[in-house]
Amino acid sequence: MIKRLSVSLLLASAVLYQPSQFVYAEEKKETLEATEVYDLRYGETLFNFFQQKYFSAITNLMVAEVRSPIKVQGEDPNLLLGGLYLAYGMHNDASNLFQGLLSSDTLPASHDRAWYYIAKLRYLKGYTPQAEIALTKIKDTLPEEREAERLHLLANVYMKQKNYPKAIEVLKNFSGSSEWEAYAQFNLGVALVKAGQLEEGTELLNEVGDLNPFSISHELNALRDKANLALGFAYMRNNRAADATSHFQRIRLTGPLSNKALLGLGWAYTNQEQYTEALTPWLELQNRKALDTTVQESLIAVPFTIEKLGKPRLAMQHYQTAIGAYAEEINKLEDVMLAVQRGELIEAMRPANIDDETSLPLGSFGLPKSVTAPYLNQMMATNTFQEAYKNYQSLLHLKHVLEHWQTQLPSYELMLSERRKAYFTRLPEVASDERLQSITRIQKQRDEYAADLKRIKKDNDVFGLVTEDEDDLLLVLTNVKKKIDKLSPTQDLSEELEKYNFLKGILAFQLESEFIPRLWAANNNLKELDRALKKTRKAKRSLVKAANNAPKFFEGYDKKITWSKQRIRNLIARLDSAISKQERYIQKLAQAGLIKRRQQLENYHVRARFGIARLYDSLILEKDKKVQQEGAEQGEENAQ
Amino acid sequence: MSKLAPTLFSPFLLMLTLFIMQPAWAAEGDTPEPAGDQGTVTTLDTQIQDLKKEILDLNRDLFLLEEDLLFPANTQFTVFVSMDVGITFDLDSVQLRLNNNVVGNHLYTERELKALKRGGVHRFYTGNLTSGEHELVAFFVGKGPKDRDYKRATTVKVTKGTEPQFVELKISDKESKHQPEFKVKVWEAE
């Protein structure tokens, strides 16, 4: 019996796109309960699924369906297949399969799971009311973890519909794991803040933001940071900079949100006119990677604050630095855009080892030297780009699969051709085998023996079943009798005659007494001969049948191979077209992201120049004022 | 705050809005599609889904064809490797010998080991075997209890008939002795 982990949650997690969620699900996997599974092919499917080899896993199930469907498995293999379709981005097929499960005679648990997947699909496609209907169809068979996910999804559905009271109600009844609850609280808190219900929203976010960072998982720590950042932003928008400050300060300095927190903290201090304090986080930010948008914003924020501190000349120096940095970045960005246009990004996105069907993580490909990675990294972190990248990788992998078959098929053709040749060469040899030809003769002999045996039995002919030795003995006795008869008229051979009669009597007695066993043995031998003849005839019939069917057999495979070749050619042509389209789409996405980035940099650049111009103006004005003042003072002195 | 401040502050506010639109995994579309492209993207996505389905169907057909040609049912012989928990043994590699001939070697990757420990079953070897009795020896190499190098062989005699035969090599933990156990199970063809 194979101990195996339940795949329910894993399938659910596989369809989720956000990396943070996926990490969460990955962490949870290890603690899942073990279940027993009874089919090696199911296990083989799981082996591929656990390695994220969805294409192979789906093929395993499809082949099993043709050979001998998996029936002894506790969880419906169709649910696994549907989940695999989802994970492989085949939403339409997944939807059809789950709908099929609902209309079929499946167990209530399978029904509930099918409804769950359908809800998730509808939610992902944006059909929120339909997702709600699907979620409410689910009864009480979901495992605890899945039920927590269901409630989480339901709360999100209500939030999308802006039905916050309902979302809060779901959240209040939440009895799932603390992780899911924290996620639900966070989502709802953000939704309420967005809806303008600041107090209610911040209350929920505070619960997440107040979690003890030393006693929670890495994932929850990331969520805690997010909650604090959201709170900080929310307070800033509502002109409560002092409240915002404490939340920005709670965010970890080494986490992925630290740059945003430092930037936010600086603005929170600025809003409170604490300019010196504002400089601390912003100057810290400038020690970080220059390409980050937050770092770039800090470049212009620092001189603005210094100016506020009444140090215009120092502010001007910082503006100059910022202008230089922006100009440099804009130039780099231009290079990146050109590189993207030249197709270097696409080139770099092609996996080195296409043989490995596992979807490579984004960012695993090495960007060419001409492309400055950080500009693209931000854009690559978006769902749209990730989906496009995943699809692109899948298309390349599919083409690799087809090309593999394309190279294999000629060898199968050769194999078939050799088999055909060998078959048709050997067939006449086998057909002319003497043993097969002699069947009729043997049958005739058999019939003669059978008739003889019948006569022996009927006539009780004991001499009919003599052995060779006995036959020799009989011949000797016959010759002896002939000699006695010949010599009797001239000699007294009564003693010899008596001896002859005695010996013949003994032989007759022996034959008489062994007649029945011999007759039984002879009949048995005849039956054995019949069986052997039957077997030989069967073999001959089988040979004849095989000979007749062979052309059809070979023709069947020939047709399959020819048809497959056509399908492969057709599919490769369509794949090439789809790959080109996908490449154009990725380039377009990249260009759109880069243009947005350039606009932002140009905006900063203009503002920095404006800052300098303004400072120049004010310094000149000040100077003029001073000159005028000095002139006036000089005039006064002269007048005196 | 000076008149400049709100202008300067705008990117920050924009970022603020973008951020709170992305709560955990339920986030909505984060990067807007280039204008007018949504329909094209949907069509392309549908095309890709259709291609996946058609290629999966073809792959299944070719897989079956290959199996029929290379491993006919009457001689087909397959060996699987599975693992039950795997606390007392860290598997590195497996070698398989059939009638004293090495027919397979496999060095397991981290990813494969994780899949095995979660209950996946690895199709280790598929080949052809004539009817009759055969000797199968599997060598398991890895780290045993107390991180010691561990190599163990398991031998089994199998009688091949005219149906496909499946053999499972199973590594499990013998809790009572804190030792790994290597079992062989011959599965009946359906």
Side-chain angles (χ1 to χ4, degrees), chain A residues 453-468:
Chain A
L453 207 59
K454 197 176 175 186
R455 184 197 56 75
I456 289 168
K457 189 184 174 187
K458 187 186 168 196
D459 298 348
N460 213 18
D461 177 12
V462 294
F463 290 97
L465 295 173
V466 291
T467 63
E468 272 184 30

Side-chain angles (χ1 to χ4, degrees), chain A residues 196-242:
Chain A
Q197 298 179 39
L198 186 66
E199 292 309 317
E200 296 88 337
T202 49
E203 194 182 322
L204 285 166
L205 286 172
N206 263 322
E207 283 184 37
V208 184
D210 280 344
L211 290 169
N212 181 355
F214 302 107
S215 62
I216 53 175
S217 65
H218 173 74
E219 183 73 12
L220 272 186
N221 253 313
L223 192 67
R224 180 184 179 275
D225 283 350
K226 274 188 174 184
N228 280 312
L229 195 64
L231 279 165
F233 287 158
Y235 284 128
M236 286 291 285
R237 283 213 300 185
N238 286 276
N239 298 319
R240 287 168 62 180

Side-chain angles (χ1 to χ4, degrees), chain A residues 320-380:
Chain A
Q320 287 291 5
T321 311
I323 286 170
Y326 293 142
E328 196 181 326
E329 291 311 320
I330 288 169
N331 284 338
K332 278 185 192 169
L333 206 56
E334 292 291 338
D335 287 345
V336 176
M337 289 170 84
L338 283 173
V340 170
Q341 266 175 9
R342 283 196 299 268
E344 289 180 30
L345 175 67
I346 292 293
E347 194 62 45
M349 283 170 81
R350 289 190 189 123
N353 180 18
I354 192 72
D355 215 15
D356 182 8
E357 68 167 283
T358 314
S359 184
L360 296 170
L362 201 74
S364 62
F365 54 85
L367 288 165
K369 282 178 187 167
S370 55
V371 177
T372 316
Y375 281 117
L376 293 166
N377 278 349
Q378 198 180 16
M379 175 182 53
M380 284 173 186

Side-chain angles (χ1 to χ4, degrees), chain A residues 1 4 88 152 412 419, chain B residues 25 30 52 66 69 119 170:
Chain A
M1 217 64 78
R4 196 162 290 122
Y88 195 49
H152 185 217
Y412 297 152
R419 278 192 197 173
Chain B
W25 68 274
D30 39 10
K52 281 178 178 173
E66 184 183 61
L69 286 174
K170 187 175 175 183

Side-chain angles (χ1 to χ4, degrees), chain A residues 291 293 296 329 333-334 336-338 340 345 372-382 384-385 584-602, chain B residues 14 18 30-35 37:
Chain A
L291 296 175
T293 45
Q296 286 172 352
E329 291 311 320
L333 206 56
E334 292 291 338
V336 176
M337 289 170 84
L338 283 173
V340 170
L345 175 67
T372 316
Y375 281 117
L376 293 166
N377 278 349
Q378 198 180 16
M379 175 182 53
M380 284 173 186
T382 64
T384 315
F385 199 90
R584 283 199 297 276
Y585 174 55
I586 288 173
Q587 278 184 314
K588 218 169 183 175
L589 275 180
Q591 288 288 6
L594 291 170
I595 287 169
K596 198 174 155 190
R597 192 70 192 264
R598 188 178 60 187
Q599 285 168 346
Q600 201 176 14
L601 275 170
E602 283 169 350
Chain B
L14 175 72
L18 283 174
D30 39 10
T31 295
E33 303 290 347
D37 278 2

Side-chain angles (χ1 to χ4, degrees), chain A residues 398-414:
Chain A
L398 289 174
K399 191 173 175 190
H400 172 72
V401 169
L402 292 182
E403 283 171 347
H404 162 76
W405 286 120
Q406 215 169 23
T407 56
Q408 286 298 101
L409 287 180
S411 56
Y412 297 152
E413 279 181 315
L414 183 67

Side-chain angles (χ1 to χ4, degrees), chain A residues 161-215:
Chain A
Q161 293 171 334
K162 301 198 188 322
N163 190 347
Y164 300 113
K166 276 266 192 187
I168 292 170
E169 196 183 312
V170 171
L171 204 58
K172 275 180 186 163
N173 297 326
F174 208 89
S175 57
S177 69
S178 57
E179 279 91 345
W180 282 113
E181 192 172 0
Y183 271 106
Q185 276 180 341
F186 174 80
N187 286 339
L188 187 56
V190 169
L192 287 170
V193 169
K194 268 175 75 180
Q197 298 179 39
L198 186 66
E199 292 309 317
E200 296 88 337
T202 49
E203 194 182 322
L204 285 166
L205 286 172
N206 263 322
E207 283 184 37
V208 184
D210 280 344
L211 290 169
N212 181 355
F214 302 107
S215 62

